[in-house]
Amino acid sequence: MSYKSGRHFLQIPGPTNVPGRILRAMDRPTMDHRGPAFAEMTKEVLSGLKGIFRTEQPVVIYPASGTGAWEAALVNALSPGDRVLMFETGQFATLWQRVAERLGFDAELVPGDWRSGVKPEEVEARLADDGGHAIKAVCAVHNETSTGVTSNIKAIRKAMDRAGGKTGHPALLMVDTISSLASIDYRHDDWGVDVTVAGSQKGLMLPPGLSFNAISEKALKAAETSGFRQSYWRWDDMLEANENGFFPYTPATNLLYGLKESLGMLNEEGLDNVFARHDRLAEATRLAVSAWGLEVLCRNPAEYSSSLTAVLMPDGLDADEFRKLVLERFDMSLGNGLGKIAGKVFRMRHRAASNELLMAGTLFCVEKVLSPFRANSAQVPGAGPFVSA
Amino acid sequence: MSYKSGRHFLQIPGPTNVPGRILRAMDRPTMDHRGPAFAEMTKEVLSGLKGIFRTEQPVVIYPASGTGAWEAALVNALSPGDRVLMFETGQFATLWQRVAERLGFDAELVPGDWRSGVKPEEVEARLADDGGHAIKAVCAVHNETSTGVTSNIKAIRKAMDRAGGKTGHPALLMVDTISSLASIDYRHDDWGVDVTVAGSQKGLMLPPGLSFNAISEKALKAAETSGFRQSYWRWDDMLEANENGFFPYTPATNLLYGLKESLGMLNEEGLDNVFARHDRLAEATRLAVSAWGLEVLCRNPAEYSSSLTAVLMPDGLDADEFRKLVLERFDMSLGNGLGKIAGKVFRMRHRAASNELLMAGTLFCVEKVLSPFRANSAQVPGAGPFVSA
Amino acid sequence: MSYKSGRHFLQIPGPTNVPGRILRAMDRPTMDHRGPAFAEMTKEVLSGLKGIFRTEQPVVIYPASGTGAWEAALVNALSPGDRVLMFETGQFATLWQRVAERLGFDAELVPGDWRSGVKPEEVEARLADDGGHAIKAVCAVHNETSTGVTSNIKAIRKAMDRAGGKTGHPALLMVDTISSLASIDYRHDDWGVDVTVAGSQKGLMLPPGLSFNAISEKALKAAETSGFRQSYWRWDDMLEANENGFFPYTPATNLLYGLKESLGMLNEEGLDNVFARHDRLAEATRLAVSAWGLEVLCRNPAEYSSSLTAVLMPDGLDADEFRKLVLERFDMSLGNGLGKIAGKVFRMRHRAASNELLMAGTLFCVEKVLSPFRANSAQVPGAGPFVSA
Amino acid sequence: MSYKSGRHFLQIPGPTNVPGRILRAMDRPTMDHRGPAFAEMTKEVLSGLKGIFRTEQPVVIYPASGTGAWEAALVNALSPGDRVLMFETGQFATLWQRVAERLGFDAELVPGDWRSGVKPEEVEARLADDGGHAIKAVCAVHNETSTGVTSNIKAIRKAMDRAGGKTGHPALLMVDTISSLASIDYRHDDWGVDVTVAGSQKGLMLPPGLSFNAISEKALKAAETSGFRQSYWRWDDMLEANENGFFPYTPATNLLYGLKESLGMLNEEGLDNVFARHDRLAEATRLAVSAWGLEVLCRNPAEYSSSLTAVLMPDGLDADEFRKLVLERFDMSLGNGLGKIAGKVFRMRHRAASNELLMAGTLFCVEKVLSPFRANSAQVPGAGPFVSA
């Protein structure tokens, strides 16, 4: 039984449902990417992006998926065979490690339980053991899209600083913010990140197709001696062309229109207000999960994500079966469990074009499909009026 | 405190929030309204509209508001000074009577309490008293947008038939379906309606700007002897031009594009499925109202509207103050009380581009703003988790 | 043989091809037409419209075709049976007279040859003969869309003033500017017009569906004693509601979004620049017509229209056959001959979203189809005025 | 003096002006790229693309610029240090060689005059000299966007086959069709191409942001032993995921919507009709250039491009100054000269969303700005070929 109503509800962690205002901004004639109007737009979005990354340092934009920006971070600042330390916080950390391996890195994936963030003390211990500075980079995923667990980037930086003696360990800190940028508080400069990796289709509310690197001075310096033979991802070409508002190859012009609009929307609301909204919706979601007698995948409240929540299904209930019921009954897509936790969790986004009304509606739909499976639903608090109907 | 999230939620009874699919259908170059492609489109939408009105008789489309279609019904089929019987079911019935008066009709408005539909027995009594057949038309509003009360059109028709002896009373039956067409079950032919008045911005999910008359053979016949000197609303010109897919004057081409898309969407879902969806959402809404300890304006369950629900505010609470709080806190517009009941009710739509998710979210937002005003909210059932948070 | 290229070229006099910018402005969620954001928009467009009509007096907006605005002008300011003087300058003047007749006016249509504008001296003579002031209104079409002939409104006003002795003849001056507003110079106040009738789909570059009356103080005064029983077109209701930014019935919200954008575009270019552009394109068109050895329908150069040009086909060539060839070969729609001159002329627009490139392309396409039909085309090797200039 | 008219005319070789129909197709909610509706769309566009490349072999889609697809072709099928033969037909061939060099290839750029295509006899000679089969790939640009010169790919393949004795030389043939695909006749299979590189923003009429590789069985085989350590561009991952309608990383969903629409438009017109239209417009353009007394950059008529024409400016006239005049006067962007020929040529597109009307208008605008500069313009009174034809 499918209730069609002209509006599918995309409640997966990403891509985000794109606001009409951004869709319309992209629905415009492609302009000459070598002309003066284009250069002006480039400068505006590059400047606006700095505010979002909270950095004074350069940000580059690739016409590519976030996966490309992972690769870009690695091949610009490091050399083949370099040792990099990565942390198995979930599916995307695992995939990033796989990219690193394919690129020829000695990429260690420190095992994790997919329910916790990177442990700063573990970072510190590893680096302290690395007196020879063989480790060239520490790579962490700020917000694991597959688990709804965040890692404390600021604490990781401090751990790295403590580990290396007086001057700190020289490894670069690379951070994936694909599902955290413009979603939860993130500070490229203050937290001492060297390369921040991001994408268009999450907190920036755009369709996929753009990705980003924010680059510290130290990373730029490291890039000068990179041993990689590469071309598309080169920071130097990009930065040189960006200087005048252009790109070294054809940019994804219409997605840039959307980016300009997105930056406008984020600024209108105010980034801190955006974060506060996400925090509020995330907390409401966790309260609902708890009221349902279910468990949030993330173990540590300090690591809860305001970008999305992954919910553990009770034993005997297949999460994908459950998601299918929700889709059929309410025309709403929930996020699936990925990798190790496939079939065991479903995920709900609270980020981006969301609000109280949509979040309450989302929780209602989940609750309705969930109810018959609960042994004693009558006793469960929170049986709202539309639920008991 | 305003929670901006890029998406105002328009929950007033109408205009309906227009689905993106319809907005995009209108976002196309205006075509030559004297060319063959236009004629084909006209024929398609005129044919599609018949299915929505459930009629085999002609439907005409005006580039005008619903108010224009009220006027069109009256000036085509009747003559100045004619006696017409109208029923004060709410604000729109009252406005229609005002239009009739201005046009020079002897338009009696049978008083009502704004909480009930037209009483068929009253229709029967009035017509039975009218042995001389002075009454030329009975005008009823099928679904009062101001009150959320429906009138039983089928029963009114039967009452008219009973009243006039063997052949029935000859008065025409005119019905305003502005907020019922494509929202709740309506049958122009089966129920013996002579002129059905409708508009684009409710069940058809279009922006305002188009309105309609469905016309019985009897009404067409009556039009031949109308004493009105009029031009814009003439049925004869319209029907003659429509024959070949054209209009007697420039039509609102881009709204017609939207109408074509709307008819496509209604057919895809199936009109009966649309009605069932509205019924379901309406019942959920009334259950919520009851759980809140509030009262639905409509007194008689048989007259409940699946198009919208008007809710009485408790004494001492101003509905407009309440609506303002909802707007500020959740960026959602509720319908206001009109005319006699201004400040006393607020209205929620369940029709058109709505679904379980959006309706649950709507009810949640109302409930949240309402909670602090309820004496003993702790005792109230339905305190969902996001409510008690 | 049809050359498809994804872009039909609509070169009829109207509706105008709507700029993408305006289409996108309309592709937005319909807002609550009783809310504060709506009121603000109404005030902005009403104020902007005054600049376009060049008036300090009120302008009202109908959700209706231009035909409705004709009716509105007549039924508000006059009374049934009133004598009105109209001039047969072409098809639309003739249709307006037909509307007047249907509404019960004693509407005289002063015969014309469809190749000349209203003769001010004829106006003067008629009014001078009307010592009893039986004539209540003089109605003129500023720019005849069917013929490409303009009438000198300023001179007509002066003729009326001269005709009536010291105080001038008291008849109202009503002017149809449907295809001249925002296309060629027009001045409601300076020229002493009482009611200006206009529509959305020509110089304002919108889809059809809105129409306008600009109203002088004298016309407003006259409206107070109108004998018409009417409702939809009432100025008084409209003006009263407009005062606060609202409408007496549901407005065509999304077309108003487009109107706001249109006013923005006209102001950006500057109305005088718009007119200069139209003048330039019109002159180029006439030079081309002359180079082709054809004749412009308009006889008097002082009455040439910068909004469109109607071209007489040589004897033996059917204009509609010719237009069909152009459509098939170049996917371009030319305007057809209407009424008396059906099959004898074709019409080309130079107004609105046009420019040198599009106009040159239009003339090229016409020329190409025309060439084989020209007796001595060999002697005129491409002497397109736009080429040799 | 700038003539604004609400429509900038983008007449550069690319990005192409995107048809409204494609812009609107992209103006839709982003869907779940792991759901069944997405998989269905992927399969449809992958199948449709094969028709455009005229291949039965796999085509992969990258969320990246065409530059990325150059890199993809090289790093998948070859190994670092491999010798590749490239031909300096213009700026883009030169840039591709630069990419190859950066990636560590021994990439020879056979010098050229930027006015001719690749000489098959030169290919044959080089390969015949390469008895040891050190050359692993021959790379050619089918249509040089910077010069408007095509290379005969079929003849190059034959030359390669002849060069290597009985079995032909084993080098792979890689072809850049960025500005030829869907613009002029191209046959991946028939012509024996191993890797075809293409982009979205030219003949496919999309905004930039997607690029393509069509891959022969031989190239796929070669990829198995590639010595490159790479990730983003991997064919194997892409092909494996595509099998089920998915992608190995987040695809550019909304550009894929546009691609689906583009394929629909090309099929509606018919690819051969599209090519015939481009041929016709290209010939008209060259006739105009000749009538202006100017020279087409391409020397050899057999190598003329139907995708675009580059025109040599007479000595003493700076092409960029000229283009600036055109932009200011007619709001039209012409393509600039790139690299070696900067300031010496301007370029006009005839491909994609173009037609007779737009092309004639384009030529008119160029002619108008050009006239005053022509020594003996008086003797050539507007003898534009499109005029006298």
Side-chain angles (χ1 to χ4, degrees):
Chain A
M1 172 178 48
S2 174
Y3 302 163
K4 302 286 180 211
S5 60
R7 181 164 193 279
H8 174 73
F9 196 72
L10 188 71
Q11 186 56 358
I12 61 174
T16 298
N17 48 349
V18 181
R21 197 172 143 183
I22 289 180
L23 286 173
R24 274 184 293 276
M26 294 188 300
D27 174 9
R28 283 195 299 142
T30 302
M31 65 164 79
D32 180 3
H33 61 281
R34 303 188 199 277
F38 184 87
E40 203 179 314
M41 179 180 71
T42 303
K43 288 176 181 174
E44 183 182 335
V45 299
L46 286 175
S47 158
L49 279 172
K50 290 188 180 194
I52 304 298
F53 284 88
R54 288 186 162 154
T55 184
E56 297 297 325
Q57 304 180 88
V59 179
V60 298
I61 308 173
Y62 295 108
S65 284
T67 299
W70 275 347
E71 186 163 330
L74 297 169
V75 300
N76 273 288
L78 303 171
S79 292
D82 274 357
R83 194 158 167 225
V84 297
L85 197 61
M86 304 178 109
F87 297 87
E88 189 202 0
T89 47
Q91 175 74 355
F92 291 97
T94 306
L95 288 176
W96 195 7
Q97 190 267 353
R98 192 179 167 220
V99 166
E101 251 182 11
R102 288 181 152 190
L103 293 169
F105 288 93
D106 172 9
E108 183 185 2
L109 187 68
V110 179
D113 65 358
W114 290 46
R115 303 189 65 177
S116 315
V118 177
K119 288 175 187 58
E121 58 278 16
E122 195 155 10
V123 174
E124 187 173 358
R126 293 290 185 130
L127 294 190
D129 278 357
D130 179 41
H133 296 172
I135 296 172
K136 300 303 182 198
V138 171
C139 300
V141 174
H142 183 211
N143 183 81
E144 248 297 345
T145 318
S146 61
T147 63
V149 178
T150 60
S151 287
N152 187 336
I153 302 304
K154 189 180 178 181
I156 292 172
R157 173 80 270 173
K158 286 190 174 159
M160 292 172 70
D161 290 347
R162 281 192 306 268
K166 272 183 186 157
T167 55
H169 190 287
L172 297 170
L173 174 57
M174 297 190 174
V175 180
D176 166 343
T177 65
I178 289 176
S179 63
S180 63
L181 188 83
S183 299
I184 59 179
D185 192 26
Y186 182 76
R187 298 166 185 276
H188 179 79
D189 284 3
D190 285 1
W191 297 352
V193 180
D194 292 301
V195 189
T196 298
V197 170
S200 56
Q201 76 274 22
K202 300 275 167 50
L204 293 174
M205 303 175 289
L206 292 166
L210 293 182
S211 55
F212 311 92
N213 278 180
I215 314 165
S216 74
E217 210 171 316
K218 187 175 165 190
L220 277 177
K221 188 87 191 160
E224 290 171 14
T225 57
S226 164
F228 273 97
R229 314 277 331 224
Q230 46 108 1
S231 178
Y232 193 74
W233 312 113
R234 291 180 78 98
W235 288 342
D236 53 1
D237 282 9
M238 196 62 94
L239 292 173
E240 190 189 329
N242 283 177
E243 198 72 28
N244 300 309
F246 297 108
F247 288 85
Y249 41 76
T250 311
T253 307
N254 291 48
L255 286 167
L256 293 175
Y257 294 160
L259 177 56
K260 183 179 157 182
E261 190 72 18
S262 160
L263 295 171
M265 289 173 74
L266 290 168
N267 286 334
E268 281 170 30
E269 184 171 357
L271 207 47
D272 290 331
N273 294 330
V274 170
F275 297 157
R277 171 161 57 81
H278 296 167
D279 289 346
R280 211 162 53 231
L281 300 176
E283 184 168 1
T285 300
R286 290 188 299 265
L287 284 167
V289 171
S290 156
W292 299 332
L294 297 184
E295 198 182 344
V296 162
L297 182 64
C298 179
R299 282 190 203 279
N300 176 3
E303 296 176 337
Y304 281 155
S305 166
S306 287
S307 182
L308 76 142
T309 294
V311 181
L312 275 164
M313 290 304 283
D315 284 342
L317 266 183
D318 181 84
D320 292 336
E321 283 301 312
F322 174 71
R323 290 190 317 110
K324 203 174 154 213
L325 288 173
V326 172
L327 179 62
E328 279 169 3
R329 179 140 177 213
F330 294 115
D331 205 8
M332 173 168 80
S333 299
L334 295 173
N336 59 335
L338 296 168
K340 279 186 186 176
I341 52 176
K344 292 183 184 148
V345 305
F346 65 89
R347 295 174 297 148
M348 291 182 285
R349 173 177 55 80
H350 352 104
R351 182 205 335 110
S354 192
N355 56 24
E356 277 72 6
L357 189 153
L358 295 173
M359 204 69 231
T362 298
L363 296 176
F364 161 74
C365 293
V366 170
E367 183 170 313
K368 282 297 279 184
V369 178
L370 204 55
S371 296
F373 297 106
R374 292 190 296 176
N376 47 0
S377 67
Q379 297 167 17
V380 174
F386 39 86
V387 170
S388 57
Chain B
M1 177 175 45
S2 173
Y3 303 164
K4 300 289 179 209
S5 62
R7 183 165 191 278
H8 175 73
F9 196 72
L10 188 71
Q11 185 56 359
I12 61 174
T16 298
N17 48 348
V18 180
R21 197 172 145 183
I22 289 180
L23 286 173
R24 275 184 293 276
M26 294 188 300
D27 175 8
R28 283 197 298 142
T30 302
M31 64 163 79
D32 179 3
H33 60 281
R34 304 188 198 277
F38 184 86
E40 204 179 312
M41 178 179 74
T42 303
K43 287 175 181 174
E44 183 182 335
V45 298
L46 286 176
S47 158
L49 278 172
K50 289 188 179 191
I52 304 298
F53 284 87
R54 290 187 160 153
T55 183
E56 298 296 324
Q57 304 179 88
V59 178
V60 297
I61 308 174
Y62 295 108
S65 286
T67 300
W70 275 348
E71 185 162 330
L74 296 168
V75 300
N76 273 288
L78 303 171
S79 291
D82 273 357
R83 196 161 166 219
V84 297
L85 198 60
M86 303 177 110
F87 298 86
E88 190 203 358
T89 48
Q91 174 74 355
F92 291 96
T94 306
L95 288 177
W96 196 7
Q97 190 266 355
R98 193 178 167 223
V99 166
E101 252 183 11
R102 287 179 154 191
L103 294 169
F105 288 92
D106 173 8
E108 183 184 3
L109 187 67
V110 179
D113 64 359
W114 289 46
R115 302 189 65 176
S116 317
V118 177
K119 290 177 185 56
E121 58 276 16
E122 195 155 10
V123 174
E124 186 172 359
R126 293 291 186 129
L127 295 189
D129 278 358
D130 178 42
H133 297 171
I135 295 172
K136 299 303 182 196
V138 170
C139 300
V141 174
H142 183 209
N143 182 81
E144 248 298 345
T145 318
S146 61
T147 63
V149 178
T150 61
S151 287
N152 188 335
I153 302 303
K154 189 180 179 183
I156 293 171
R157 171 81 270 171
K158 288 192 172 157
M160 292 172 70
D161 290 346
R162 282 192 305 269
K166 273 181 188 159
T167 55
H169 190 286
L172 296 170
L173 174 56
M174 297 189 174
V175 179
D176 167 341
T177 66
I178 288 175
S179 62
S180 63
L181 188 83
S183 299
I184 58 178
D185 192 28
Y186 182 76
R187 299 167 182 275
H188 180 80
D189 284 5
D190 284 3
W191 296 353
V193 180
D194 292 301
V195 189
T196 297
V197 170
S200 55
Q201 76 274 22
K202 300 277 167 51
L204 293 173
M205 303 175 287
L206 293 166
L210 293 181
S211 55
F212 310 92
N213 277 179
I215 314 164
S216 76
E217 209 170 317
K218 186 174 164 190
L220 277 177
K221 188 89 194 161
E224 291 171 13
T225 55
S226 164
F228 273 97
R229 313 283 322 229
Q230 45 108 1
S231 178
Y232 193 75
W233 311 112
R234 291 180 78 99
W235 289 340
D236 51 2
D237 281 9
M238 195 63 94
L239 293 173
E240 190 189 330
N242 283 178
E243 197 72 29
N244 300 309
F246 297 108
F247 287 85
Y249 41 77
T250 311
T253 306
N254 292 47
L255 286 167
L256 293 175
Y257 294 159
L259 177 56
K260 183 179 158 182
E261 191 71 19
S262 160
L263 295 170
M265 289 174 73
L266 290 168
N267 285 333
E268 281 169 30
E269 183 171 358
L271 207 47
D272 289 332
N273 294 331
V274 171
F275 296 157
R277 171 163 55 84
H278 297 167
D279 288 346
R280 211 162 52 233
L281 299 177
E283 185 168 0
T285 300
R286 290 188 299 265
L287 284 166
V289 170
S290 157
W292 299 331
L294 297 184
E295 198 182 345
V296 163
L297 183 64
C298 179
R299 283 189 201 280
N300 177 4
E303 294 175 339
Y304 282 154
S305 166
S306 288
S307 180
L308 77 143
T309 294
V311 181
L312 274 165
M313 289 305 281
D315 284 343
L317 267 183
D318 181 83
D320 292 336
E321 282 302 312
F322 174 71
R323 291 190 316 111
K324 203 175 154 214
L325 289 173
V326 172
L327 179 63
E328 280 170 2
R329 179 139 178 214
F330 295 114
D331 205 8
M332 173 168 80
S333 299
L334 295 173
N336 59 335
L338 297 168
K340 278 186 188 176
I341 53 178
K344 292 182 183 150
V345 305
F346 66 89
R347 295 173 296 147
M348 291 182 285
R349 173 177 56 80
H350 351 104
R351 180 201 341 105
S354 193
N355 55 27
E356 277 71 7
L357 189 153
L358 295 173
M359 204 69 231
T362 298
L363 295 176
F364 161 74
C365 294
V366 170
E367 184 171 311
K368 282 296 280 183
V369 178
L370 204 55
S371 296
F373 297 108
R374 292 190 297 178
N376 46 0
S377 67
Q379 299 168 16
V380 172
F386 39 84
V387 169
S388 57
Chain C
M1 177 178 46
S2 173
Y3 303 164
K4 300 288 180 210
S5 62
R7 183 165 190 278
H8 174 72
F9 196 72
L10 189 71
Q11 185 55 358
I12 61 174
T16 297
N17 48 349
V18 180
R21 195 173 146 183
I22 289 180
L23 286 173
R24 276 185 292 276
M26 295 188 299
D27 175 8
R28 283 195 298 143
T30 302
M31 65 163 79
D32 179 3
H33 60 281
R34 303 187 198 279
F38 184 87
E40 204 179 313
M41 178 180 73
T42 303
K43 287 176 182 175
E44 184 183 335
V45 299
L46 287 175
S47 158
L49 279 171
K50 289 188 180 192
I52 304 298
F53 284 87
R54 290 187 161 153
T55 184
E56 298 296 325
Q57 304 179 89
V59 179
V60 297
I61 308 174
Y62 295 108
S65 286
T67 301
W70 275 348
E71 185 162 331
L74 297 169
V75 301
N76 273 289
L78 302 170
S79 290
D82 274 357
R83 195 160 167 220
V84 296
L85 198 60
M86 303 177 111
F87 298 87
E88 190 202 359
T89 48
Q91 175 74 355
F92 290 97
T94 306
L95 288 177
W96 196 6
Q97 189 266 354
R98 193 177 167 222
V99 166
E101 251 182 12
R102 286 179 154 189
L103 293 169
F105 288 92
D106 173 8
E108 184 184 2
L109 187 68
V110 180
D113 66 358
W114 289 46
R115 303 189 65 177
S116 317
V118 176
K119 289 175 187 57
E121 59 276 17
E122 194 155 10
V123 175
E124 186 172 359
R126 293 292 186 128
L127 295 190
D129 278 359
D130 179 42
H133 296 171
I135 296 172
K136 300 302 182 197
V138 170
C139 299
V141 174
H142 183 211
N143 182 81
E144 248 298 345
T145 318
S146 61
T147 62
V149 178
T150 61
S151 287
N152 188 336
I153 302 303
K154 189 179 178 182
I156 293 171
R157 172 80 270 170
K158 287 192 173 158
M160 291 172 70
D161 290 346
R162 281 193 304 269
K166 273 182 187 159
T167 55
H169 190 286
L172 297 170
L173 174 57
M174 296 188 174
V175 179
D176 167 341
T177 65
I178 288 176
S179 62
S180 63
L181 189 83
S183 299
I184 57 178
D185 192 28
Y186 182 76
R187 299 168 183 276
H188 179 80
D189 284 4
D190 284 2
W191 296 352
V193 179
D194 292 302
V195 189
T196 298
V197 170
S200 55
Q201 76 274 24
K202 301 275 167 53
L204 293 173
M205 304 175 288
L206 292 166
L210 294 182
S211 56
F212 311 93
N213 277 179
I215 314 164
S216 75
E217 210 170 316
K218 187 174 165 191
L220 277 177
K221 188 88 193 162
E224 290 171 14
T225 56
S226 163
F228 273 96
R229 314 282 324 228
Q230 46 108 0
S231 178
Y232 193 75
W233 311 112
R234 291 180 79 99
W235 289 340
D236 52 0
D237 281 9
M238 196 63 93
L239 293 173
E240 189 189 330
N242 283 178
E243 197 73 29
N244 300 310
F246 298 108
F247 287 85
Y249 41 77
T250 310
T253 307
N254 291 47
L255 286 167
L256 293 175
Y257 294 160
L259 177 56
K260 184 178 158 182
E261 190 72 19
S262 160
L263 295 171
M265 289 173 74
L266 291 168
N267 285 333
E268 281 169 31
E269 184 171 356
L271 208 46
D272 290 331
N273 294 331
V274 170
F275 296 157
R277 171 162 56 84
H278 296 168
D279 289 345
R280 210 162 53 232
L281 300 176
E283 184 167 1
T285 300
R286 289 188 300 265
L287 284 167
V289 170
S290 157
W292 298 332
L294 296 184
E295 198 182 344
V296 162
L297 182 65
C298 179
R299 283 190 202 278
N300 176 4
E303 295 176 338
Y304 282 154
S305 166
S306 288
S307 181
L308 76 143
T309 294
V311 181
L312 274 165
M313 289 306 280
D315 283 344
L317 267 183
D318 182 83
D320 291 337
E321 284 300 313
F322 174 72
R323 291 190 316 112
K324 204 176 154 211
L325 289 173
V326 172
L327 179 63
E328 280 169 2
R329 179 140 178 215
F330 294 114
D331 205 7
M332 173 168 80
S333 299
L334 294 172
N336 60 335
L338 297 168
K340 279 185 187 176
I341 53 178
K344 292 182 183 150
V345 304
F346 66 88
R347 294 173 297 148
M348 291 182 285
R349 173 177 55 82
H350 350 105
R351 182 205 335 109
S354 193
N355 56 26
E356 277 72 6
L357 190 153
L358 295 174
M359 204 69 231
T362 298
L363 295 176
F364 161 74
C365 294
V366 169
E367 184 171 311
K368 283 295 280 182
V369 178
L370 204 55
S371 295
F373 297 106
R374 290 192 296 177
N376 47 359
S377 67
Q379 297 170 16
V380 191
F386 45 92
V387 171
S388 56
Chain D
M1 173 177 47
S2 174
Y3 303 165
K4 301 287 181 210
S5 61
R7 182 165 191 277
H8 174 72
F9 196 71
L10 188 71
Q11 186 57 358
I12 61 174
T16 299
N17 49 349
V18 181
R21 197 172 144 184
I22 289 180
L23 286 174
R24 275 185 293 277
M26 295 188 300
D27 174 10
R28 283 194 299 141
T30 302
M31 64 164 78
D32 180 2
H33 60 281
R34 305 189 198 277
F38 183 86
E40 204 180 314
M41 179 180 71
T42 303
K43 288 175 180 175
E44 183 182 336
V45 298
L46 287 175
S47 158
L49 279 172
K50 290 188 179 193
I52 304 299
F53 284 87
R54 290 187 161 154
T55 184
E56 297 297 323
Q57 304 179 89
V59 179
V60 298
I61 308 174
Y62 294 109
S65 285
T67 299
W70 275 347
E71 185 163 331
L74 297 169
V75 300
N76 273 288
L78 302 170
S79 292
D82 274 357
R83 196 161 165 221
V84 297
L85 197 61
M86 303 178 108
F87 298 86
E88 190 202 357
T89 47
Q91 174 74 355
F92 290 97
T94 306
L95 288 177
W96 195 6
Q97 190 267 353
R98 193 178 168 221
V99 166
E101 252 183 9
R102 288 181 153 188
L103 293 169
F105 288 93
D106 173 8
E108 184 185 2
L109 187 67
V110 179
D113 65 358
W114 289 46
R115 302 189 66 176
S116 316
V118 177
K119 288 177 187 56
E121 59 276 17
E122 194 155 13
V123 174
E124 187 172 358
R126 293 291 186 128
L127 294 190
D129 278 358
D130 179 41
H133 294 173
I135 296 172
K136 299 303 182 197
V138 170
C139 299
V141 174
H142 183 210
N143 183 81
E144 247 299 344
T145 318
S146 60
T147 63
V149 178
T150 60
S151 287
N152 188 335
I153 302 303
K154 190 180 178 181
I156 292 171
R157 172 81 270 171
K158 287 191 172 158
M160 292 172 70
D161 290 346
R162 281 193 305 268
K166 273 183 187 159
T167 55
H169 189 287
L172 296 170
L173 174 57
M174 297 190 174
V175 180
D176 166 342
T177 65
I178 288 175
S179 63
S180 63
L181 188 84
S183 298
I184 58 178
D185 192 26
Y186 182 76
R187 299 167 183 274
H188 180 80
D189 284 3
D190 285 1
W191 297 352
V193 180
D194 292 302
V195 189
T196 297
V197 170
S200 56
Q201 75 275 24
K202 300 275 167 51
L204 292 174
M205 304 175 287
L206 292 166
L210 293 182
S211 56
F212 311 92
N213 277 180
I215 314 165
S216 74
E217 210 171 315
K218 186 175 166 190
L220 277 178
K221 189 87 190 160
E224 290 171 14
T225 56
S226 163
F228 273 98
R229 313 280 327 227
Q230 47 108 359
S231 178
Y232 193 74
W233 312 112
R234 292 179 78 98
W235 287 341
D236 53 0
D237 281 9
M238 196 62 94
L239 293 173
E240 189 188 331
N242 283 178
E243 198 72 29
N244 300 309
F246 298 108
F247 288 84
Y249 41 77
T250 311
T253 307
N254 290 48
L255 286 166
L256 293 175
Y257 294 159
L259 177 56
K260 184 179 157 182
E261 191 71 19
S262 160
L263 295 170
M265 289 174 73
L266 290 167
N267 286 332
E268 281 169 30
E269 184 170 357
L271 207 47
D272 291 330
N273 294 330
V274 170
F275 296 158
R277 171 161 57 81
H278 295 168
D279 290 345
R280 211 162 53 231
L281 299 177
E283 184 168 1
T285 300
R286 290 188 300 265
L287 285 166
V289 170
S290 157
W292 298 332
L294 296 184
E295 198 181 343
V296 163
L297 182 64
C298 180
R299 283 192 203 277
N300 176 4
E303 296 176 338
Y304 282 155
S305 166
S306 288
S307 182
L308 76 142
T309 294
V311 181
L312 274 165
M313 289 305 282
D315 284 342
L317 266 183
D318 182 84
D320 291 337
E321 283 302 311
F322 174 71
R323 291 189 317 110
K324 204 175 154 214
L325 288 173
V326 173
L327 179 62
E328 279 169 3
R329 178 138 178 217
F330 294 115
D331 205 7
M332 173 168 79
S333 299
L334 295 173
N336 60 334
L338 297 168
K340 280 186 187 177
I341 52 177
K344 293 182 183 150
V345 305
F346 66 88
R347 295 174 297 147
M348 291 182 284
R349 174 176 55 81
H350 351 105
R351 180 204 339 108
S354 192
N355 56 25
E356 276 73 5
L357 190 153
L358 295 174
M359 204 69 231
T362 297
L363 295 175
F364 161 75
C365 293
V366 171
E367 183 170 312
K368 283 294 282 182
V369 178
L370 203 56
S371 296
F373 297 107
R374 291 191 297 178
N376 49 357
S377 68
Q379 296 168 17
V380 192
F386 45 91
V387 171
S388 57

